[in-house]
């Protein structure tokens, strides 16, 4: 009996010794830091494994290469509700009044080409300076022949290469078409690294004036009008004024948010039987820019995306 008591007493002293030793160990700064690191390490990996155990999959978009068509299945727009454009447009203005409406609303009823160029900028302009990307693609003539547009809205104009090309096509086909060019004509940060010949005065680039000079050079002033504002504000006003397009080209900002906004706002302005199209479907941005916006828009609205080279095409429903 006495031996058992001594054994229990010995075990009790051992436990107290180990506990005391552990307390001393924990009280050491290096041991404490190591303990925190191990806690974080095991906690991080347990959290990571839990987040990856049930991946979600999006509704697929399949590419049919033989027909150059993207088939997009309809889906609920509830998740995108905060990102949808919900403006209600005015009744359409007859096409014969579109030009004068723009002149009255933006230019005090007069053509912006009157007495052009102003003296202070004339020395900064080249006789013509036309540059674009994919601006002479076959898709332009295909769509113009198909739609025979009375009004074209171009979102993203730069120096007017595609607008001037479309003006030439409509004239060749005997169409009386008004082309409205929406662009803030500011370019983008550092664009003058590539276009150093575009003049700048007190920090203001003369991109709008060079665009207008190009239009004058190609004798397209009766067909092409600038709307020198951001795409969001300009398209909102066109909606408010009831100015619709039979053919609308989107070629402004190439990031997802810009393209998504432009496509949604422009589609509200598309006339019945009209066509919405744009450039840069295939770029280095892959599925993070224009392509993502186009595919998502088609999916939400149950529309079909047709491809023509770098261009995407969506017909009105």
């Amino acid at each position: 009996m006495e031996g058992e008591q001594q054994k229990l007493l010995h075990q009790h002293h051992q436990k107290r010794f180990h506990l005391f030793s552990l307390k001393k160990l924990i009280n050491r700064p290096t041991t404490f830091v190591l303990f925190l690191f191990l806690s974080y390490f095991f906690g991080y990996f347990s959290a990571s494994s839990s987040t990856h155990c049930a991946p979600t999959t999006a509704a697929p978009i399949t590419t049919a290469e033989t027909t150059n068509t993207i088939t997009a299945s309809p889906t609920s727009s509830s998740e995108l509700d905060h990102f949808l454009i919900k403006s209600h447009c005015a009744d359409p203005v007859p096409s014969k009044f579109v030009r004068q409406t723009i002149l009255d609303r933006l230019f005090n009823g007069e053509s912006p080409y009157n007495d052009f160029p102003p003296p202070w900028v004339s020395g900064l302009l080249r006789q013509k300076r036309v540059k674009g990307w994919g601006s002479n693609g076959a898709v332009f003539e295909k769509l113009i022949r198909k739609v025979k547009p009375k009004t074209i809205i171009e979102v993203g104009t730069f120096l007017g290469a595609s607008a001037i090309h479309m003006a030439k096509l409509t004239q060749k086909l005997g169409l009386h078409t008004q082309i409205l060019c929406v662009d803030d004509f500011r370019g983008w940060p550092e664009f003058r690294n590539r276009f150093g010949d575009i003049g700048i005065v007190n920090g203001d680039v003369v991109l709008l004036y060079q665009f207008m000079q190009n239009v004058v050079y190609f004798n397209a002033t009766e067909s092409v009008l600038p709307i020198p504002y951001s795409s969001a504000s300009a398209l909102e006003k066109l909606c408010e004024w009831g100015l619709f397009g039979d053919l609308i080209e989107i070629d402004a900002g190439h990031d997802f948010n810009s393209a998504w906004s432009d496509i949604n706002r422009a589609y509200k302005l598309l006339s019945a039987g009209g066509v919405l199209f744009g450039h840069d479907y295939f770029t280095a941005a892959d599925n993070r820019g224009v392509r993502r916006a186009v595919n998502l828009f088609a999916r939400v609205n149950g529309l079909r995306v047709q491809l023509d080279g770098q261009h995407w095409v969506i017909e009105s429903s």
Side-chain angles (χ1 to χ4, degrees), residues 228-248:
Y229 299 94
S230 69
S231 57
S233 61
L235 293 175
E236 188 72 15
K237 281 301 178 183
L238 293 181
C239 172
E240 182 182 315
W241 299 336
L243 300 180
F244 288 66
D246 307 305
L247 188 61
I248 304 180

Side-chain angles (χ1 to χ4, degrees), residues 84-104:
L84 300 179
I85 308 300
K86 301 181 179 180
S87 304
H88 295 286
C89 298
D91 292 336
V93 170
S95 58
K96 63 182 178 180
F97 297 130
V98 167
R99 181 181 177 85
Q100 192 58 50
T101 299
I102 291 296
L103 295 181
D104 292 341

